[in-house]
Amino acid sequence: MTRRELLGTLLATALLAACRPRAHAPAPVEIEFGRDECSYCRMTIDDPRLAAEFIEVGGQARKFGEPGCLVNWMRKAPSVKGTAFVTDAGRGGWLPAAAAFYVAGRVRTPMSYDVAAYG
């Protein structure tokens, strides 16, 4: 997947997530950096600037090492409903994926998607 395709998929995901009604606001769960593994690539999640999560409607949390892994997992599981979150690479903290801005190529990521999210 090219960076352009990745950014397009992130934008489309964000727009779809923004249109979905919510009964309650889901929230990301804590990631144990250096211990938890990515739900997509199975690498250890070790960079808090790049982490991402998908909280399913039932409450199950899927953790990811970077936004590219989140997007690829979502492409393989289109029927799973929930809310995506990314960390702000600049200031830290969680952002709804729909509210983030994405920059490609400014940071190197473990899986080489090289995409970071900012508030």
Side-chain angles (χ1 to χ4, degrees), residues 20-26:
R20 186 178 15 215
R22 292 184 171 74
H24 63 77

Side-chain angles (χ1 to χ4, degrees), residues 39 42 52-56 60-64 70 73 80:
S39 292
R42 301 293 180 218
E53 287 189 4
F54 187 87
I55 308 301
E56 294 183 24
Q60 180 179 351
R62 305 233 182 223
K63 301 172 185 181
F64 302 92
L70 166 66
W73 177 84
V80 179

